[in-house]
């Protein structure tokens, strides 16, 4: 898969998440809002995987979905990859948007109840106590993807 098609797949995941969030904000049925939110979280986690694939391809790293493994590979190759360093830092902080996205994904994947405080009956657009929401995850992930691509195009 070429870098352009990997980026395209990442873009499609981000766009799908955006559309699911919009649909969720417009719906009136709690069960439907919850399903759309779950789907948006899945699409965002898939987009994060797409970003990791873009990084892996751009820097010639071995296949891995694990940020710490990719960071280790970069160190072994003598590479400094800002986006991986940033992701590593974010994942080490439980209150960061990235850690919260990961936890939200695991809650959905494992079909368990969330430990995140929720305002109202859904999370999208309203945010929890930490100010996190699916829309916030989307905006932060889009910023990260665009920053990575901008940095990559400079080389």
């Amino acid at each position: 898969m070429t870098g352009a098609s990997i980026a395209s797949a990442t873009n499609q995941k981000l766009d799908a998440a955006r559309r699911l969030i919009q649909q969720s904000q417009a719906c009136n049925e709690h069960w439907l809002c919850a399903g759309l939110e779950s789907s948006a979280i899945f699409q965002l986690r898939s987009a994060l995987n797409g970003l990791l694939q873009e990084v892996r391809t751009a820097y010639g790293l071995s296949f891995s979905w694990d940020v710490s493994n990719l960071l280790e590979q970069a160190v072994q190759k003598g590479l400094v990859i800002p986006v991986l360093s940033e992701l590593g830092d974010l994942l080490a902080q439980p209150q960061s948007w990235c850690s919260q996205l990961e936890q939200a994904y695991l809650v959905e994947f494992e079909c368990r109840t969330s430990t995140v405080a929720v305002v109202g009956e859904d999370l999208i657009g309203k945010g929890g106590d930490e100010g996190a929401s699916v829309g916030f995850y989307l905006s932060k992930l889009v910023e990260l993807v665009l920053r990575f691509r901008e940095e990559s195009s400079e080389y």
Side-chain angles (χ1 to χ4, degrees), residues 2 5 8 32 35-36 65 79 95 130 133 137:
T2 67
S5 60
S8 178
L32 181 57
L36 291 167
W65 298 125
L79 300 171
Q95 300 305 316
E130 296 84 21
S133 71
Y137 303 152

Side-chain angles (χ1 to χ4, degrees), residues 31-50:
W31 64 269
L32 181 57
C33 291
L36 291 167
E37 178 182 320
S38 294
S39 297
I41 289 169
F42 174 80
Q43 293 297 327
L44 288 170
R45 186 57 180 92
S46 295
L48 181 57
N49 284 350

Side-chain angles (χ1 to χ4, degrees), residues 63-122:
F63 179 82
S64 179
W65 298 125
D66 182 23
V67 172
S68 59
N69 181 284
L70 292 170
L71 275 168
E72 187 177 311
Q73 289 182 51
V75 168
Q76 289 173 355
K77 288 186 164 198
L79 300 171
V80 176
I81 306 173
V83 72
L84 282 183
S85 299
E86 184 174 347
L87 282 170
D89 290 344
L90 288 169
L91 290 169
Q93 302 170 27
Q95 300 305 316
S96 74
W97 68 267
C98 194
S99 289
Q100 291 179 13
L101 171 59
E102 187 66 22
Q103 286 307 306
Y105 172 75
L106 291 174
V107 163
E108 296 301 330
F109 182 72
E110 295 170 356
C111 194
R112 57 185 166 93
T113 56
S114 174
T115 58
V116 174
V118 177
V119 176
E121 292 192 348
D122 59 20

